Every structure is written in structure tokens, then in C-alpha cells.
Amino acid sequence: MTVYFSEHPGCWERHLQRQYKNPLFGHLEYDISQMDVEDAQRRDAKERQNFQTDFQQLLEEVANLQSQVEAEIVLKLKDRIDALYEQCAGLGGDFSQAKKGLHHLNDLIMQSILSSGVDDPEMLERLEREKSARYMHFSLLEYPFIAHLLHPNSPIGETEIVPSLLTEDDASLRAAMSLFETKQQKLLCEEGRNLLTRLKEQGYDLPTAWMRLASMEQPLYKAG
């Protein structure tokens, strides 16, 4: 039976799409029904609704901030902005305006901190490092797969990380691998090679997945 997916799936629907007719996921490849997809679509719709509510609430709070506000409150707002951006990145659909708004809010928060009279060189250096790390993190979140991996209740279980990596396109795969330390990368590559070897013995050649495994392993060869 054919299953139909959305053009721009969210976190939950996208993971079903990865699994559908995909031997990398074993027995799950044919266990997905249209009802499962519709349930996932409703869950994604609920997450989009929750995001819009939380985003509007954040905008209102920032608009009502006093000119002088405690640093602790500002830092908590910054953490909420980061969390909302991460959430937004995995929703599916076009949320480019929301992302721009969160970027702008983040810049305003950083300016507020820096203009609050902080004259501790170590603190200023730490803030600058955090700013650089945050923009690097935001750039990684341009790949929805990374947002799906980092989702607080990610549908991608621990045993599904490798099959999911081997299903992603090359750019998304390379970006995702950067999230892991070298030791973890080695384990993922070893698991991927074992999986593809088992499947080949079962009659699944999967040349594209083997190419993706080579992309996963390439940085390890460079590292020696």
C-alpha cells in the first residue's frame, strides 16, 4: 500500500518518511501506514501551534522589558530564544521570518548585556565565545535533521541514529557528524559498516548508503 507524505514534513512525519521502504531500518520499513503518517502530521501541527504561542509570548515579554533589567532575566530570555530557534528549525514548512525574528532578538539581548556596564574582561570574552558558538549552532540548524536529532523528545531513537545518518544527503550527514566527538564518530562508523555488511549478505547492495558511510569515515582518515 502506498503511503503519502507532506511536501514539507515536520519532525515526526519526517522520521516515518526516513523509515518507509528503507531496509536500513529493518522490519520497520513496511510497518508504516497512512494512519501513522496522519498521526505524525497531527503531532507536528501541535508542535507548530505551541511554537507560535511561545514565540508570540516571548515577543510580548521583550517588548515590555524595562530599560534597566537584571542580567539574570536577560540571560534566561537568551536561553529561551536559543530553545525556540532549535524548535523552529525542525518544524517543517517556511519559518524563515520567525528565524529572522529570533536572530534579531538574540542580537538585541547580546547588545543589552554588553551595554549593561559589564567591564569584566573575562566575562566579555566568554560572551563573545558564546556568541560565536551560538551562530555556529544556528548555522547547523539550517539542516532540519540536526534539529530532529536535538529535539528534546526526538523520534530518532539511539538504535536509529546510524540508519538515519545513512539516509541523509551528504551535506546534512557531514553537518550531523560534527555534533559527535571523534570516539563517537568511530563507533557510529563501525556500526554503520556492520549494518551495511549484514544487509549486503541479505541481498541489499545499497550503493548510496555505502557512499554515505565513506563520507562519515573520511574525517577519521584525515585525523589519522
Side-chain angles (χ1 to χ4, degrees):
M1 182 180 68
T2 302
V3 173
Y4 299 95
F5 295 95
S6 304
E7 185 176 356
H8 301 290
C11 179
W12 300 96
E13 184 186 2
R14 175 63 184 122
H15 193 49
L16 292 182
Q17 191 178 42
R18 286 187 194 98
Q19 297 169 331
Y20 183 59
K21 292 186 177 181
N22 186 348
L24 291 167
F25 288 90
H27 70 281
L28 293 174
E29 60 172 313
Y30 294 111
D31 287 349
I32 295 168
S33 68
Q34 191 65 43
M35 186 177 295
D36 294 326
V37 174
E38 291 169 1
D39 286 343
Q41 289 171 345
R42 283 190 286 271
R43 193 166 187 174
D44 287 326
K46 180 63 175 176
E47 289 202 348
R48 287 191 290 271
Q49 181 182 352
N50 290 341
F51 168 78
Q52 294 285 13
T53 299
D54 293 342
F55 183 41
Q56 289 302 317
Q57 182 179 347
L58 178 69
L59 290 176
E60 291 173 10
E61 289 183 29
V62 172
N64 293 324
L65 279 179
Q66 302 297 321
S67 56
Q68 296 295 324
V69 62
E70 293 181 9
E72 183 179 351
I73 294 176
V74 174
L75 291 172
K76 285 182 178 179
L77 282 173
K78 184 168 65 68
D79 290 341
R80 285 172 60 192
I81 291 169
D82 292 347
L84 280 173
Y85 195 95
E86 205 165 274
Q87 181 183 356
C88 179
L91 291 176
D94 184 7
F95 283 84
S96 56
Q97 291 304 311
K99 287 181 182 178
K100 287 180 181 178
L102 288 166
H103 262 299
H104 181 61
L105 285 177
N106 185 68
D107 289 341
L108 289 176
I109 292 296
M110 288 300 296
Q111 290 172 13
S112 173
I113 294 173
L114 293 173
S115 63
S116 63
V118 176
D119 57 4
D120 183 341
E122 290 186 8
M123 172 65 76
L124 291 171
E125 183 180 353
R126 182 171 71 84
L127 289 172
E128 283 300 322
R129 286 199 304 270
E130 286 184 2
K131 181 179 179 181
S132 298
R134 183 168 293 102
Y135 278 107
M136 177 64 72
H137 185 59
F138 283 0
S139 68
L140 287 174
L141 288 171
E142 289 303 303
Y143 300 98
F145 176 57
I146 290 182
H148 299 168
L149 274 176
L150 298 177
H151 191 290
N153 299 304
S154 177
I156 306 171
E158 186 175 347
T159 60
E160 298 172 336
I161 292 176
V162 168
S164 297
L165 286 167
L166 293 172
T167 304
E168 286 299 302
D169 62 50
D170 193 61
S172 179
L173 168 62
R174 289 176 181 272
M177 287 297 288
S178 72
L179 298 174
F180 301 98
E181 297 178 354
T182 302
K183 183 177 180 179
Q184 293 172 312
Q185 291 179 6
K186 289 179 179 178
L187 291 173
L188 291 171
C189 290
E190 182 180 345
E191 185 179 335
R193 182 164 290 278
N194 290 339
L195 172 61
L196 291 178
T197 300
R198 288 197 307 271
L199 289 171
K200 189 171 185 178
E201 291 170 353
Q202 296 169 18
Y204 296 99
D205 193 24
L206 306 177
T208 302
W210 280 101
M211 290 175 60
R212 288 169 180 153
L213 176 63
S215 294
M216 291 169 64
E217 293 176 331
Q218 187 177 17
L220 299 176
Y221 294 137
K222 291 180 180 179

